[in-house]
Amino acid sequence: MEISFAFQHLVNFLMLGLIYSIVAVGFSLYFGVVDVVQFAHGDVVALGGYAGLAGILLAVAAGATGVGPVVGMIVLALLATGAAGALIGRYLVMPLRQASPINVLLITLMTGTAIREALRLFVPGGSNPSPFPMVLPDQLMTFAGVSMRVSSLIIMAAGVLAIFGTHFLLSRTRLGLAVRGVAQDEETARFMGIDFKRVVILTFVLGACLGALAGIMSGLYYRQVMFNMGLMLGVIGFCAAVVGGLGSLMGAVVGGFLFSGLQIFATVALPIPSAYKDVFAFTMMICIIAVRPTGLLRERFEERV
Amino acid sequence: MNDRTLVCSDLTMRFGGLVALDAFSLEVRPGEVVGLLGPNGSGKTTFFNVVTGLYKPVSGAIRFGDKDLFRKAPSEINHAGIARSFQRCRLMLELSVFDNLLVGAHNRLPNGLFRTLFGRKAALRSIAAFMGAARDLCARFNPHIADRLFEPAGSFNMIDRRRIELCRALLGGPRLLLLDEPSAGMTHDETFRLMDDVTGFQRESPELSIVLIEHEMQVIERVSQRCVVLNFGKKICEGSYRTVVADPQVRKAYLGEDA
Amino acid sequence: MSHQLSARKVGKTDWPLPGSQALASRFDRRAEAFFLMAVAGMLVLACILALESELALAGTLAAAGGLWWWGVRAGVVAQAGAFSDRRPWAARLVVAAAATVLLIAFHGEHYALLMISTVLLFAAACAGINIQTGLAGLANFAGAAFFACGGYTLAVLAKSTALPHFLAILAGGVAAAAIGAVLLLPVLRTRGYYSALVTIAFGILCSSFLQVNEQLGGAQGLQVPPLTILGWDMGSGFEVAGREVSFYFAYGVLALAVFLLSSLVAHAIEWSAIGVNLDATRSDELVGSSFGINPQRWKITAFLLGNFLIGIAGAVYAGLTNFVSPAGATFEQSLLLISIVILGGIGNSWGALIAAVLVILLPEKLHSLQEYRVLIFSVFVVAVLLFRPKGLVPRRMRDFSVMEKRS
């Protein structure tokens, strides 16, 4: 195949892989720390996308140019998702921790639905895709016969930074230590003086902020946001996290790139209509789960008898 | 004939790099009560988990009577006549006591889908037939439980819940009973009463053998005929209670180097 | 399904008192309580169907809500539940009679009969979900997809083969069960949320697949020819004593039969050794397996059986509406079914029926809220899960002492 096509697919693979990975990291975080599947995460991503859009519009309306809208986009997205994450964690997930895990899954699923519907109903023209302005430098770069936009490079760099930043936060900082302590053994962590509630809320905020980033990335890359963009992203992210090993950051990244790789593979190499690429990707992922039920890397799982 | 002796030979169980059981051998003859001792983390519960099929050992052999139980499924092992109680009381608190007991008698109940849907009367009669046995069994441990057989298990206190758990293990008519720290959370007197009830039950079914994990030495002294001591997965001593208690290796394991 | 028992439940008359005299003297009141509820339900449903003004509807709902609240406090609801537990066939006979009266009352109204049939069929599907989720603890987020599988199977068989339609409906159930098996087998040995993931993914994929696939009609779906069930032409109305009866009447009777049989199957499963096995698999797999309860076997049994019921309901629904389309297989539709199950009370088929009326019928009637119905329901379900997770009609504790009395 022509090199420019191949390169396009490569960029696609990397970009989607990053977006999926970031969403998956959120799922792994929630599961690793609080032992719950937070299924509103995908819709929080969508919320982030819309909040970013709102940030841009507000900044532009206030007369800001250049870096201004970018800042507005990031700030509003982080604020909106951070608040959503904290509220969901504090009022919906924490109270139900003692109940069966299905209940938490259900309540977050329904919350996600509520967020989705709210976006559809209360955003002007919400049932249709809303165009997302390109606020990053967007020149086309060409070298050695392939071309790529600067914006794509910036988006990917931001994604990579976010993942490394999260890794750094978890492994090198005191907060990260507290989070990992709680993930390992809640009871002991409490004995050691770690404020469990604060750590949990912070985890939810962190996960949600990662979601914001994924939402903005998706908005910038596809030049639009849609009220139900979070549904598919959420399912893909959850699937990627499970395949990689729920609770493992590396696993989430592996899972995310695995899914995007399968999608691209199906589009490029298989003689099936591209509409079936998701069917193919999911089927492969489910086969992987069947063979390695605890995930490719590691799942935090013990049961004391 | 079908002599239900449990013979475990050279059982080894590993969790990654950690050796939980190290070539552990044990023989339990019908009617015996064997005490399994050892400091925390020495592999006692691991041994129970291996015997009941929850963990698959790396090497060794397990025979019960003429059945090979090495690495078999828990259901098969239970079917062969081995039942256990758990360290942490595990009952379905929302369900009635009777329902919890039915779990123990699982192998004797009609489990077929066809029968359940199309032979309901007969299936229900088999369940009803268990009620008498369940009542009698519970009454031996505490008549109060027998009276309230159809109330939720969660409405009983800790001690009664332990008794219910024991009844659950006994209702299926096992040949070998594995008891994991039945006395946890109970006073001396309550423990003695419980063990008296268990040994009383055993006197009526002399084929029943019991392996008992206990930290309360007085209980072991009272009911066991033989003791086995584990440390770091290895058997370090075997014999009567007196022998074991006087053994220097055992003292070192429990009390440390300077004992 | 938390393990916390509220102190006020224990000792209250949710469970029968020991002692035969107490049981015998309460018998009449149990039957009466159930009868009362069936009649009240029928009247409320008739009002909802007949009234047009939203104000009158709101009034009816308020009155029904008040009656319900009184019923719970006075113990009528509990007594009715006890009656249904002890005499499952009699209870369903009463409901059948009440429902038939309702059907006859609306014999000429196409829309009302269509709505009644829809509610009954969705409740039947929820009876299947109750076996999967309520008893076995398997999350099924593809209920609508399996429902549609049943429908599509019927459509294809009715159009392309000469198979009697009655068997085609059963085939719909079998197809849903078979697809469910393929889906679940890989994740049987894993934790609960894996089945959630697999069913969520399947639900989303199924509707995309159906949208794209041309053989199955694509986005337009497939037409279902008028059915003939056991010699009765379901597609045309008939005349009785000079009055026109809508062809939906026959579907109403069929839907009623499907619901009552599905709930009977759910009852039979719950009140058996299998029910105990499923409960054990759900609440403590480890202990269950120590006593010989094989979790994989029971999970697959529950899932297949539940799917069979869902598929049959879906097939009859396809006949009822004369077509199947991908719009009925979406994730949102599956969430609707889950909402019905949660609102009604996980594990309780009567609860599912009541909740189905609320979730399906009300939005149709309250036009001003149509746009917002998904939002309203998701918020409502969140509230239920937070404050009353057991739902409107919590699953009653199984009490086998009933058997002792009767045998």
Side-chain angles (χ1 to χ4, degrees), chain A residues 117-133:
Chain A
E117 281 296 301
L119 285 173
R120 182 180 73 88
L121 292 167
F122 302 128
V123 168
S127 327
N128 299 318
S130 306
F132 202 94

Side-chain angles (χ1 to χ4, degrees), chain A residues 24-107:
Chain A
V25 166
F27 276 111
S28 263
L29 255 180
Y30 296 132
F31 184 79
V33 176
V34 203
D35 227 344
V36 297
V37 177
Q38 205 279 69
F39 225 89
H41 187 53
D43 299 289
V44 169
V45 169
L47 181 68
Y50 273 94
L53 176 61
I56 295 174
L57 296 175
L58 277 174
V60 166
T65 53
V67 137
V70 178
V71 171
M73 169 183 78
I74 296 178
V75 164
L76 208 59
L78 289 177
L79 278 176
T81 53
L87 286 171
I88 291 175
R90 172 74 183 80
Y91 292 111
L92 295 177
V93 175
M94 289 284 283
L96 254 59
R97 268 194 332 127
Q98 307 302 333
S100 95
I102 300 272
N103 280 28
V104 179
L105 182 66
L106 284 169
I107 206 175

Side-chain angles (χ1 to χ4, degrees), chain A residues 31 109 113 242 276 293 299 301, chain C residues 141 190-191 193-194 209 335:
Chain A
F31 184 79
L109 198 64
T113 304
V242 165
Y276 289 133
E299 187 197 311
F301 166 61
Chain C
F141 289 105
T190 57
R191 309 281 290 282
Y193 40 79
Y194 287 91
F209 176 81
L335 285 184

Side-chain angles (χ1 to χ4, degrees), chain B residues 186-206:
Chain B
M186 294 205 256
T187 65
H188 272 336
D189 295 327
E190 286 161 349
T191 311
F192 278 12
R193 257 197 70 193
L194 187 73
M195 289 317 297
D196 281 342
D197 291 332
V198 172
T199 45
F201 185 88
Q202 196 204 17
R203 269 194 292 277
E204 290 176 22
S205 349

Side-chain angles (χ1 to χ4, degrees), chain C residues 23-344:
Chain C
L23 285 170
S25 68
R26 296 174 86 89
F27 177 79
D28 287 334
R29 282 208 266 155
R30 269 192 282 266
E32 280 170 19
F34 191 85
F35 194 73
L36 184 66
M37 288 203 67
V39 168
M42 180 188 75
L43 290 172
V44 169
L45 199 50
C47 289
I48 295 180
L49 286 167
L51 293 172
E52 286 301 332
S53 112
E54 293 198 7
L55 203 58
L57 268 167
T60 311
L61 281 175
L67 266 172
W68 179 267
W69 185 83
W70 169 80
V72 170
R73 303 232 62 167
V76 174
V77 177
Q79 297 280 50
F83 179 74
S84 168
D85 283 344
R86 284 153 187 277
R87 326 227 44 169
W89 284 90
R92 278 154 186 84
L93 225 61
V94 170
V95 171
T100 310
V101 168
L102 197 66
L103 288 174
I104 293 175
F106 287 96
H107 65 265
E109 318 273 332
H110 296 295
Y111 187 69
L113 290 175
L114 174 64
M115 281 290 106
I116 296 173
S117 310
T118 304
V119 165
L120 285 166
L121 289 173
F122 274 59
C126 289
I129 297 182
N130 271 329
I131 297 179
Q132 297 168 333
T133 310
L135 287 181
L138 289 167
N140 184 354
F141 289 105
F146 292 118
F147 194 78
C149 285
Y152 270 90
T153 307
L154 174 79
V156 167
L157 287 175
K159 284 175 83 163
S160 325
T161 69
L163 192 68
H165 293 154
F166 184 73
L167 290 180
I169 292 178
L170 289 175
V174 171
I179 298 175
V182 168
L183 204 59
L184 201 71
L185 275 170
V187 296
L188 269 181
R189 291 174 191 278
T190 57
R191 309 281 290 282
Y193 40 79
Y194 287 91
S195 85
L197 168 67
V198 165
T199 51
I200 291 175
F202 176 69
I204 294 182
L205 291 175
C206 189
S207 54
S208 344
F209 176 81
L210 289 170
Q211 286 265 23
V212 178
N213 188 297
E214 286 309 318
Q215 275 90 344
L216 290 175
Q220 312 297 82
L222 289 174
Q223 285 265 36
V224 177
L227 301 182
T228 310
I229 311 255
L230 301 176
W232 184 279
D233 176 13
M234 305 288 286
S236 47
F238 54 98
E239 243 192 55
V240 166
R243 288 166 162 272
E244 277 280 343
V245 179
S246 156
F247 72 95
Y248 281 125
F249 186 88
Y251 272 109
V253 172
L254 182 59
L256 181 63
V258 168
F259 169 71
L260 291 178
L261 283 172
S262 299
S263 71
L264 205 60
V265 167
H267 175 94
I269 293 288
E270 187 186 342
W271 284 72
S272 69
I274 296 186
V276 175
N277 294 344
L278 291 177
D279 277 325
T281 304
R282 185 192 78 244
S283 76
D284 201 338
E285 210 175 284
L286 201 79
V287 167
S289 61
S290 311
F291 287 105
I293 297 174
N294 183 341
Q296 281 84 40
R297 172 179 172 193
W298 297 111
K299 282 183 193 171
I300 200 76
T301 304
F303 202 75
L304 289 187
L305 189 58
N307 262 22
F308 180 68
L309 296 177
I310 295 174
I312 288 186
V316 176
Y317 187 71
L320 173 74
T321 53
N322 277 118
F323 86 114
V324 279
S325 82
T330 59
F331 186 56
E332 283 79 11
Q333 283 287 102
S334 295
L335 285 184
L336 189 80
L337 285 173
I338 298 275
S339 307
I340 296 177
V341 167
I342 296 175
L343 278 173

Side-chain angles (χ1 to χ4, degrees), chain B residues 74-75 78 84 86 90 92 94-96 99 102-103 106 110-111 113 116 120 124 127 131 135 150 168, chain C residues 2 271-274 277 279-280 283-284 287 289-293 298 390 397-401 403-404:
Chain B
S75 42
N78 177 255
R84 73 176 286 181
F86 292 84
R90 293 173 86 131
M92 296 185 285
E94 287 189 326
L95 302 189
S96 69
D99 282 3
L102 284 180
V103 171
H106 165 83
N111 283 303
L113 186 62
T116 299
R120 281 212 76 214
L124 288 172
I127 294 179
M131 286 185 205
R135 273 216 184 82
F150 297 100
R168 175 176 72 186
Chain C
S2 86
W271 284 72
S272 69
I274 296 186
N277 294 344
D279 277 325
S283 76
D284 201 338
V287 167
S289 61
S290 311
F291 287 105
I293 297 174
W298 297 111
K390 301 219 157 184
M397 187 188 73
R398 177 176 42 227
D399 179 357
F400 276 121
S401 67
M403 307 301 141
E404 202 174 33

Side-chain angles (χ1 to χ4, degrees), chain A residues 52-255:
Chain A
L53 176 61
I56 295 174
L57 296 175
L58 277 174
V60 166
T65 53
V67 137
V70 178
V71 171
M73 169 183 78
I74 296 178
V75 164
L76 208 59
L78 289 177
L79 278 176
T81 53
L87 286 171
I88 291 175
R90 172 74 183 80
Y91 292 111
L92 295 177
V93 175
M94 289 284 283
L96 254 59
R97 268 194 332 127
Q98 307 302 333
S100 95
I102 300 272
N103 280 28
V104 179
L105 182 66
L106 284 169
I107 206 175
T108 52
L109 198 64
M110 290 298 167
T111 307
T113 304
I115 294 176
R116 202 159 56 241
E117 281 296 301
L119 285 173
R120 182 180 73 88
L121 292 167
F122 302 128
V123 168
S127 327
N128 299 318
S130 306
F132 202 94
M134 175 48 69
V135 292
L136 298 172
D138 202 27
Q139 302 90 321
L140 196 67
M141 305 180 296
T142 325
F143 46 87
V146 300
S147 58
M148 184 165 128
R149 295 203 173 272
V150 176
S151 57
S152 300
L153 202 61
I154 299 178
I155 297 172
M156 284 201 277
V160 171
L161 232 103
I163 293 180
F164 274 105
T166 308
H167 177 71
F168 182 82
L169 182 76
L170 286 178
S171 57
R172 298 289 159 84
T173 64
R174 281 195 67 194
L175 173 65
L177 193 62
V179 168
R180 280 185 298 138
V182 166
Q184 275 254 1
D185 189 334
E186 174 195 329
E187 229 179 313
T188 312
R190 286 173 118 136
F191 284 142
M192 293 290 135
I194 293 177
D195 186 342
F196 178 70
K197 224 176 188 176
R198 248 183 92 219
V199 168
V200 168
I201 306 283
L202 276 165
T203 308
F204 269 88
V205 169
L206 178 63
C209 289
L210 283 171
L213 180 64
I216 297 176
M217 285 170 72
S218 176
L220 285 168
Y221 188 56
Y222 290 111
R223 312 293 168 113
Q224 69 176 39
V225 283
M226 176 85 169
F227 77 97
N228 63 358
M229 66 192 257
L231 186 58
M232 203 53 170
L233 274 177
V235 177
I236 293 175
F238 180 48
C239 186
V242 165
V243 166
L246 267 177
S248 156
L249 195 113
M250 253 304 99
V253 175
V254 167

